[in-house]
Amino acid sequence: MSRQTAIPLRERNIILIGFMGAGKTTIGQLVAKKLYRDFIDVDAEIERRHGMSIPEMFAQKGEAYFRQVERELIVDLCTNTRLKILSLGGGAYLQEDVRRVCLAHGIVFFLDLSWDYWKEERLPLIVDSRPVLKNKTLEEVEQLFFQRQSAYALHHSRVIVNELEAEQAADQIVESIKWTWDVYEPNR
Ligand SMILES: Nc1ncnc2c1ncn2[C@@H]1O[C@H](COP(=O)(O)OP(=O)(O)OP(=O)(O)O)[C@@H](O)[C@H]1O
Ligand SMILES: O=C(O)C1=C[C@@H](O)[C@@H](O)[C@H](O)C1
Ligand SMILES: [Mg+2]
Protein backbone atom coordinates (compact mmCIF):
# COMPACT_ATOMS: atom_id res chain seq x y z
CA MET A 1 0.00 0.00 0.00
CA SER A 2 1.43 3.41 -0.91
CA ARG A 3 1.39 6.19 1.67
CA GLN A 4 1.27 9.78 0.49
CA THR A 5 3.44 12.18 2.46
CA ALA A 6 1.43 15.19 3.62
CA ILE A 7 2.38 18.44 1.91
CA PRO A 8 3.96 20.92 4.35
CA LEU A 9 1.52 23.75 5.12
CA ARG A 10 3.90 26.38 3.75
CA GLU A 11 3.95 24.64 0.39
CA ARG A 12 0.23 24.02 0.05
CA ASN A 13 -1.75 25.92 -2.53
CA ILE A 14 -3.97 28.59 -1.02
CA ILE A 15 -7.44 28.19 -2.50
CA LEU A 16 -10.18 30.83 -2.50
CA ILE A 17 -13.81 29.71 -2.66
CA GLY A 18 -17.17 31.47 -2.37
CA PHE A 19 -20.18 32.69 -4.30
CA MET A 20 -19.72 34.37 -7.69
CA GLY A 21 -18.73 37.98 -7.23
CA ALA A 22 -17.40 37.48 -3.69
CA GLY A 23 -14.02 38.67 -4.94
CA LYS A 24 -12.04 35.44 -5.37
CA THR A 25 -10.30 36.63 -8.54
CA THR A 26 -9.68 40.18 -7.32
CA ILE A 27 -8.48 39.20 -3.84
CA GLY A 28 -6.55 36.13 -5.04
CA GLN A 29 -4.38 38.31 -7.29
CA LEU A 30 -3.56 40.57 -4.35
CA VAL A 31 -2.75 37.66 -2.02
CA ALA A 32 -0.39 36.23 -4.66
CA LYS A 33 1.44 39.55 -4.95
CA LYS A 34 1.76 39.92 -1.20
CA LEU A 35 3.18 36.40 -0.81
CA TYR A 36 5.31 36.54 -4.00
CA ARG A 37 3.49 33.53 -5.43
CA ASP A 38 2.00 32.61 -8.78
CA PHE A 39 -1.69 33.22 -9.19
CA ILE A 40 -4.02 30.94 -11.14
CA ASP A 41 -7.62 31.90 -11.75
CA VAL A 42 -9.38 28.68 -12.73
CA ASP A 43 -11.96 30.43 -14.94
CA ALA A 44 -9.25 32.38 -16.78
CA GLU A 45 -7.12 29.24 -17.14
CA ILE A 46 -10.06 27.35 -18.70
CA GLU A 47 -10.64 30.26 -21.09
CA ARG A 48 -6.95 30.31 -22.04
CA ARG A 49 -6.68 26.55 -22.58
CA HIS A 50 -9.88 26.25 -24.57
CA GLY A 51 -9.63 29.51 -26.50
CA MET A 52 -13.15 30.59 -25.62
CA SER A 53 -14.85 32.62 -22.91
CA ILE A 54 -16.85 30.90 -20.17
CA PRO A 55 -20.15 32.33 -21.49
CA GLU A 56 -19.20 30.96 -24.95
CA MET A 57 -18.42 27.56 -23.45
CA PHE A 58 -21.76 27.48 -21.64
CA ALA A 59 -23.55 28.44 -24.86
CA GLN A 60 -21.69 26.14 -27.26
CA LYS A 61 -20.84 23.10 -25.11
CA GLY A 62 -23.28 23.32 -22.20
CA GLU A 63 -22.82 23.64 -18.44
CA ALA A 64 -22.14 19.91 -17.88
CA TYR A 65 -19.11 20.10 -20.21
CA PHE A 66 -17.85 23.22 -18.41
CA ARG A 67 -18.19 21.47 -15.03
CA GLN A 68 -16.19 18.47 -16.24
CA VAL A 69 -13.40 20.70 -17.59
CA GLU A 70 -13.45 22.71 -14.37
CA ARG A 71 -13.28 19.61 -12.17
CA GLU A 72 -10.44 18.00 -14.14
CA LEU A 73 -8.37 21.18 -14.08
CA ILE A 74 -8.80 21.68 -10.33
CA VAL A 75 -7.98 18.04 -9.54
CA ASP A 76 -4.85 18.37 -11.70
CA LEU A 77 -3.76 21.68 -10.11
CA CYS A 78 -4.38 20.41 -6.59
CA THR A 79 -2.51 17.16 -7.05
CA ASN A 80 0.37 18.38 -9.22
CA THR A 81 1.19 21.92 -8.09
CA ARG A 82 2.30 23.62 -4.88
CA LEU A 83 2.91 27.18 -3.69
CA LYS A 84 0.16 28.66 -5.87
CA ILE A 85 -2.77 30.91 -5.11
CA LEU A 86 -5.84 29.39 -6.80
CA SER A 87 -9.12 31.25 -7.25
CA LEU A 88 -11.96 28.90 -8.13
CA GLY A 89 -15.10 29.74 -10.07
CA GLY A 90 -18.17 30.27 -7.89
CA GLY A 91 -19.77 26.91 -8.67
CA ALA A 92 -16.67 24.71 -8.72
CA TYR A 93 -16.79 23.81 -5.05
CA LEU A 94 -20.24 22.29 -5.44
CA GLN A 95 -18.55 19.24 -6.97
CA GLU A 96 -17.52 16.67 -4.40
CA ASP A 97 -14.25 15.75 -6.14
CA VAL A 98 -13.26 19.41 -6.10
CA ARG A 99 -13.93 19.76 -2.37
CA ARG A 100 -12.03 16.56 -1.66
CA VAL A 101 -8.80 17.54 -3.45
CA CYS A 102 -8.89 21.14 -2.27
CA LEU A 103 -9.30 20.15 1.38
CA ALA A 104 -6.75 17.33 1.16
CA HIS A 105 -3.95 19.21 -0.61
CA GLY A 106 -4.57 22.92 -0.11
CA ILE A 107 -5.58 25.52 2.46
CA VAL A 108 -9.12 26.61 1.65
CA PHE A 109 -10.34 30.14 2.42
CA PHE A 110 -14.06 30.86 2.13
CA LEU A 111 -14.83 34.45 1.11
CA ASP A 112 -18.15 34.96 2.85
CA LEU A 113 -20.61 37.80 2.33
CA SER A 114 -24.26 38.32 3.17
CA TRP A 115 -27.07 37.97 0.67
CA ASP A 116 -28.21 41.58 1.22
CA TYR A 117 -24.73 42.97 0.66
CA TRP A 118 -24.12 40.76 -2.38
CA LYS A 119 -27.47 41.68 -3.94
CA GLU A 120 -26.88 45.44 -3.55
CA GLU A 121 -23.15 45.70 -4.23
CA ARG A 122 -21.97 42.76 -6.32
CA LEU A 123 -24.92 41.58 -8.41
CA PRO A 124 -24.97 44.76 -10.53
CA LEU A 125 -21.26 44.31 -11.30
CA ILE A 126 -21.50 40.73 -12.56
CA VAL A 127 -25.06 40.16 -13.72
CA ASP A 128 -24.21 40.40 -17.43
CA SER A 129 -21.03 38.31 -17.36
CA ARG A 130 -22.01 35.18 -15.41
CA PRO A 131 -24.08 32.71 -17.49
CA VAL A 132 -25.47 31.04 -14.35
CA LEU A 133 -27.30 34.30 -13.55
CA LYS A 134 -28.85 34.53 -17.01
CA ASN A 135 -32.65 34.21 -17.20
CA LYS A 136 -32.97 33.78 -13.42
CA THR A 137 -35.30 35.81 -11.23
CA LEU A 138 -33.88 37.44 -8.12
CA GLU A 139 -35.72 34.82 -6.05
CA GLU A 140 -34.02 32.02 -7.98
CA VAL A 141 -30.61 33.62 -7.52
CA GLU A 142 -31.32 33.98 -3.79
CA GLN A 143 -32.21 30.29 -3.64
CA LEU A 144 -28.93 29.41 -5.39
CA PHE A 145 -26.99 31.63 -2.97
CA PHE A 146 -28.36 29.81 0.07
CA GLN A 147 -28.25 26.33 -1.54
CA ARG A 148 -24.51 26.74 -2.07
CA GLN A 149 -23.67 27.73 1.50
CA SER A 150 -23.53 24.14 2.81
CA ALA A 151 -20.73 23.34 0.35
CA TYR A 152 -18.81 26.54 1.12
CA ALA A 153 -19.10 25.69 4.83
CA LEU A 154 -16.47 22.98 4.25
CA HIS A 155 -13.37 25.17 4.44
CA HIS A 156 -10.28 25.68 6.59
CA SER A 157 -10.69 29.40 7.20
CA ARG A 158 -13.30 32.11 6.54
CA VAL A 159 -13.03 35.81 5.80
CA ILE A 160 -16.15 37.97 5.92
CA VAL A 161 -15.67 40.31 2.98
CA ASN A 162 -18.77 42.51 3.45
CA GLU A 163 -17.60 46.13 3.49
CA LEU A 164 -13.92 45.15 3.21
CA GLU A 165 -11.85 46.63 0.44
CA ALA A 166 -10.09 43.95 -1.60
CA GLU A 167 -6.71 45.05 -0.16
CA GLN A 168 -8.02 44.67 3.38
CA ALA A 169 -9.43 41.21 2.67
CA ALA A 170 -6.11 40.15 1.11
CA ASP A 171 -4.22 41.47 4.16
CA GLN A 172 -6.48 39.43 6.46
CA ILE A 173 -5.81 36.27 4.47
CA VAL A 174 -2.06 36.86 4.45
CA GLU A 175 -2.04 37.54 8.20
CA SER A 176 -4.09 34.41 8.88
CA ILE A 177 -1.91 32.20 6.69
CA LYS A 178 1.33 33.49 8.23
CA TRP A 179 -0.07 32.87 11.70
CA THR A 180 -1.02 29.30 10.67
CA TRP A 181 2.43 28.66 9.25
CA ASP A 182 4.18 30.00 12.37
CA VAL A 183 1.97 28.09 14.81
CA TYR A 184 1.88 24.74 13.05
CA GLU A 185 5.25 24.81 11.31
CA PRO A 186 7.61 26.87 13.44
CA ASN A 187 11.32 26.85 12.62
CA ARG A 188 10.90 26.32 8.90
N1 LIG B 1 -13.64 43.80 -1.81
C1 LIG B 1 -14.21 44.34 -2.88
N2 LIG B 1 -14.75 45.56 -2.83
C2 LIG B 1 -15.38 46.09 -3.90
N3 LIG B 1 -15.53 45.47 -5.09
C3 LIG B 1 -15.02 44.25 -5.20
C4 LIG B 1 -14.34 43.61 -4.12
N4 LIG B 1 -13.96 42.38 -4.52
C5 LIG B 1 -14.39 42.25 -5.79
N5 LIG B 1 -15.01 43.37 -6.20
C6 LIG B 1 -15.63 43.60 -7.51
O1 LIG B 1 -16.68 42.64 -7.64
C7 LIG B 1 -16.73 42.11 -8.96
C8 LIG B 1 -16.56 40.59 -8.90
O2 LIG B 1 -15.27 40.29 -8.37
P1 LIG B 1 -14.49 38.97 -8.77
O3 LIG B 1 -14.52 38.78 -10.25
O4 LIG B 1 -13.15 39.04 -8.10
O5 LIG B 1 -15.41 37.87 -8.08
P2 LIG B 1 -15.25 36.28 -8.10
O6 LIG B 1 -15.51 35.82 -6.72
O7 LIG B 1 -13.97 35.91 -8.72
O8 LIG B 1 -16.47 35.83 -9.02
P3 LIG B 1 -16.64 34.44 -9.87
O9 LIG B 1 -17.06 33.38 -8.91
O10 LIG B 1 -17.75 34.72 -10.80
O11 LIG B 1 -15.35 34.16 -10.54
C9 LIG B 1 -15.60 42.82 -9.74
O12 LIG B 1 -16.18 43.89 -10.44
C10 LIG B 1 -14.66 43.32 -8.66
O13 LIG B 1 -13.97 44.50 -9.05
O1 LIG C 1 -21.02 30.36 -9.80
C1 LIG C 1 -20.92 29.75 -10.88
O2 LIG C 1 -21.57 28.73 -11.12
C2 LIG C 1 -19.98 30.27 -11.90
C3 LIG C 1 -19.11 31.27 -11.53
C4 LIG C 1 -18.05 31.78 -12.44
O3 LIG C 1 -16.87 31.98 -11.70
C5 LIG C 1 -17.78 30.82 -13.60
O4 LIG C 1 -17.06 29.69 -13.17
C6 LIG C 1 -19.04 30.38 -14.24
O5 LIG C 1 -19.66 31.54 -14.76
C7 LIG C 1 -19.97 29.67 -13.24
MG1 LIG D 1 -13.47 34.75 -10.38
Side-chain angles (χ1 to χ4, degrees):
M1 197 171 75
S2 76
R3 262 188 91 231
Q4 256 191 334
T5 316
I7 305 170
L9 284 177
R10 285 169 199 266
E11 292 181 26
R12 286 181 186 231
N13 292 330
I14 295 165
I15 302 168
L16 304 190
I17 65 161
F19 201 62
M20 61 194 110
K24 301 176 295 296
T25 299
T26 310
I27 295 165
Q29 265 165 339
L30 295 171
V31 171
K33 248 189 221 151
K34 288 171 193 286
L35 291 173
Y36 304 98
R37 292 205 173 171
D38 293 334
F39 172 66
I40 300 176
D41 184 78
V42 169
D43 286 334
E45 186 62 16
I46 291 171
E47 290 180 331
R48 192 184 68 76
R49 291 187 186 194
H50 290 261
M52 63 172 83
S53 71
I54 305 272
E56 280 167 354
M57 191 178 278
F58 267 69
Q60 291 173 26
K61 307 269 196 174
E63 179 170 354
Y65 177 80
F66 168 74
R67 295 300 176 197
Q68 182 189 334
V69 165
E70 180 181 52
R71 181 179 65 250
E72 287 173 0
L73 175 58
I74 295 167
V75 169
D76 179 33
L77 290 171
C78 284
T79 42
N80 296 314
T81 72
R82 293 181 183 201
L83 299 163
K84 310 279 185 226
I85 312 300
L86 306 181
S87 288
L88 304 197
Y93 209 67
L94 277 294
Q95 305 197 64
E96 205 202 332
D97 283 351
V98 169
R99 293 198 293 274
R100 187 178 46 75
V101 289
C102 288
L103 290 166
H105 302 289
I107 301 179
V108 179
F109 279 86
F110 170 35
L111 304 191
D112 194 6
L113 76 188
S114 69
W115 164 252
D116 286 338
Y117 182 81
W118 182 87
K119 181 181 62 175
E120 296 302 326
E121 302 292 332
R122 298 300 165 80
L123 177 58
L125 300 177
I126 62 169
V127 66
D128 295 324
S129 57
R130 306 304 196 268
V132 172
L133 298 176
K134 220 171 138 189
N135 303 322
K136 279 201 175 59
T137 64
L138 190 60
E139 287 69 30
E140 286 168 334
V141 176
E142 182 175 11
Q143 221 175 15
L144 186 70
F145 181 94
F146 286 103
Q147 260 170 14
R148 287 183 170 186
Q149 299 303 314
S150 59
Y152 300 145
L154 304 167
H155 55 258
H156 294 117
S157 191
R158 180 174 76 123
V159 178
I160 300 171
V161 295
N162 279 1
E163 319 286 353
L164 282 188
E165 301 211 349
E167 280 283 348
Q168 294 174 304
D171 283 339
Q172 280 197 18
I173 291 170
V174 167
E175 201 178 309
S176 161
I177 201 81
K178 286 187 169 169
W179 181 88
T180 305
W181 289 343
D182 289 344
V183 168
Y184 293 104
E185 282 180 354
N187 313 316
R188 284 181 73 100

